Amino acid sequence: MTSAELTAALVQLDSRNPSLVPGAPGELQVARFLADLLESWQFRVELQEVVSGRFNLIARGGRSDPSAKSLMLNGHLDVVGVDGMTHSPFAADLADGNMYGRGSADMKSGVAAMCIAARNAIESGIDGEVIITAVIDEEYESLGTRALLASGLRADAAIITEPTRLALCPAHRGFVWARLDVRGRAAHGSRYDLGVDAITHAALIIAELDRIQRTTLPHRTHPLLGRGSLHASLIAGGTGLSTYPDLCTVEMERRTLPGETERTFLDEISAAMAMVRNAHPDLHVDVSITTSQRASDVSRDAPVMLEMVDALQAERLPARIEGMSAWTDAALLNEAGVPAICFGPGDIALAHSATEFVPIAEIDAATRVLGRFIRKWCNRKR
């Protein structure tokens, strides 16, 4: 079986995430398919139930020499919804050298490439252990990789085969979501002397945060990721045209660089509120952080990066090093002490899109590069 053939088989299995699409089947069918296949290739396979009916796949191969390096290959099995797609979502149709289907780029081609690469490397003989982790729920709360790490699973390095167009992506931004409940005072629209306009106060805070984005954030940069950003995502407030609104709720997202945290965004919000309060001393705001994920960053000189550069060059492919735009489970692995980078076939710009496809040539190239890397990495001594 080739990696392209395995990609087609995986795409044809509907694994829409039920947390995103009510009633969707989830990852179980594709996890069982991969478990049976990897067992037939002599991998030691475990299905780890994370939540009811939803299982991570953990498959181990190689000699497990304790003096040799181990490697985790990580990818997610869940996909997003299919509404509005321009082609059959689960047919894995081929056209012009591309394979079409939901999950073809994000990221069943990457899962297929890592499985075939691991099989090929093990057949050639390796001393270290390769651990394939095909996980649930990356598209929603990353429950799968969180469960792996909570169980104590670790390796000397990890490659997440998210779609990178075969670039090496050692870094990506994090994000913080904040909710601002801006309090006003309800009054008749004619009573400016009594009313406090919560919506206007919210707008003034947003304008101050936009000023911070335009004047401050451009001066904080990362060599691969550029600058951070923020935007207002959701806003609600008011009860009627002739009433001063007593509440306006704004939800905002801050995309963070390595080294920036929840505290970074809270400080920026506090600075914006202080500026507004100078002119509006009756400003009252309750601020809460609703969700946050750290950024991810691995040094270009890290062993996993240097070996992947060598593998790409040995396959006569460009060793492009880029920042990744989207958040991935690499951040969780890095935070747990496992140096993790992203490398895989397909374009992240096509993820979740109405027309999702992956070039067959990229699947094949990713498989060759990963196979070469595994053979060298898992024959190195610690």
Side-chain angles (χ1 to χ4, degrees):
M1 175 180 280
T2 68
S3 50
E5 290 168 342
L6 180 53
T7 300
L10 298 178
V11 168
Q12 288 165 3
L13 298 173
D14 179 0
S15 58
R16 286 172 294 160
N17 188 320
S19 297
L20 297 173
V21 183
E27 305 89 350
L28 181 57
Q29 186 181 14
V30 67
R32 283 177 170 164
F33 172 85
L34 267 182
D36 290 343
L37 182 65
L38 291 169
E39 277 189 332
S40 75
W41 294 343
Q42 309 307 309
F43 281 79
R44 303 175 293 280
V45 175
E46 171 192 353
L47 286 173
Q48 176 191 48
E49 189 167 25
V50 180
V51 293
S52 180
R54 299 178 69 185
F55 292 79
N56 285 339
L57 166 69
I58 304 169
R60 301 172 183 267
R63 291 179 52 194
S64 303
D65 181 342
S67 68
K69 287 199 170 186
S70 60
L71 176 69
M72 182 189 300
L73 298 169
N74 177 279
H76 63 85
L77 299 176
D78 60 319
V79 300
V80 298
V82 299
D83 290 349
M85 293 194 73
T86 62
H87 51 81
S88 177
F90 305 117
D93 291 325
L94 298 175
D96 301 322
N98 300 316
M99 183 181 299
Y100 289 77
R102 177 58 82 224
S104 56
D106 185 24
M107 59 172 292
K108 289 180 175 178
S109 57
V111 170
M114 73 188 195
C115 289
I116 298 296
R119 179 200 66 183
N120 294 346
I122 290 167
E123 288 178 351
S124 72
I126 57 173
D127 293 330
E129 184 175 53
V130 178
I131 310 167
I132 292 173
T133 57
V135 300
I136 72 162
D137 195 54
E138 189 272 349
E139 297 288 5
Y140 188 62
E141 291 184 293
S142 291
L143 295 177
T145 294
R146 292 182 191 279
L148 291 178
L149 295 171
S151 72
L153 185 62
R154 298 292 188 275
D156 290 309
I159 296 178
I160 300 182
T161 53
E162 289 275 9
T164 68
R165 300 173 293 109
L166 305 183
L168 298 175
C169 294
H172 63 67
R173 296 181 186 89
F175 63 89
V176 182
W177 292 350
R179 173 180 169 133
L180 284 64
D181 290 313
V182 184
R183 309 289 177 179
R185 184 184 302 117
H188 191 277
S190 66
R191 295 303 304 270
Y192 64 88
D193 54 325
L194 298 177
V196 175
D197 185 349
I199 292 176
T200 295
H201 283 182
L204 292 169
I205 295 170
I206 293 171
E208 279 300 319
L209 285 168
D210 180 65
R211 183 188 62 78
I212 290 171
Q213 171 163 239
R214 288 182 289 104
T215 62
T216 302
L217 299 192
H219 298 289
R220 304 180 200 157
T221 61
H222 182 278
L224 293 177
L225 301 173
R227 49 162 288 180
S229 64
L230 64 86
H231 68 275
S233 305
L234 299 167
I235 188 166
T239 59
L241 285 172
S242 292
T243 303
Y244 276 80
D246 63 351
L247 176 65
C248 181
T249 296
V250 181
E251 293 181 72
M252 304 194 73
E253 180 182 70
R254 171 73 154 83
R255 290 282 166 162
T256 57
L257 299 178
E260 294 182 326
T261 65
E262 295 179 2
R263 184 74 259 165
T264 305
F265 194 23
L266 287 172
D267 288 346
E268 290 162 353
I269 293 170
S270 295
M273 292 191 302
M275 292 296 293
V276 174
R277 194 170 280 115
N278 287 335
H280 299 272
D282 52 356
L283 178 72
H284 178 74
V285 187
D286 297 321
V287 180
S288 58
I289 300 298
T290 57
T291 301
S292 68
Q293 298 282 16
R294 292 290 179 91
S296 187
D297 198 13
V298 171
S299 168
R300 292 185 185 213
D301 296 328
V304 65
M305 282 292 293
L306 297 177
E307 295 287 3
M308 279 296 290
V309 168
D310 287 349
L312 281 159
Q313 292 175 341
E315 291 293 332
R316 299 188 178 183
L317 292 167
R320 294 179 290 114
I321 300 175
E322 300 177 356
M324 191 155 185
S325 60
W327 188 88
T328 78
D329 282 353
L332 301 177
L333 290 162
N334 276 307
E335 191 173 3
V338 181
I341 67 171
C342 294
F343 168 83
D347 189 340
I348 193 67
L350 299 175
H352 308 186
S353 68
T355 305
E356 183 177 353
F357 65 87
V358 61
I360 300 297
E362 286 191 13
I363 306 175
D364 295 338
T367 305
R368 295 195 309 273
V369 171
L370 288 169
R372 184 180 289 274
F373 171 81
I374 294 165
R375 287 191 295 273
K376 189 171 181 182
W377 182 266
C378 291
N379 282 319
R380 289 184 58 181
K381 300 302 180 182
R382 287 197 172 101

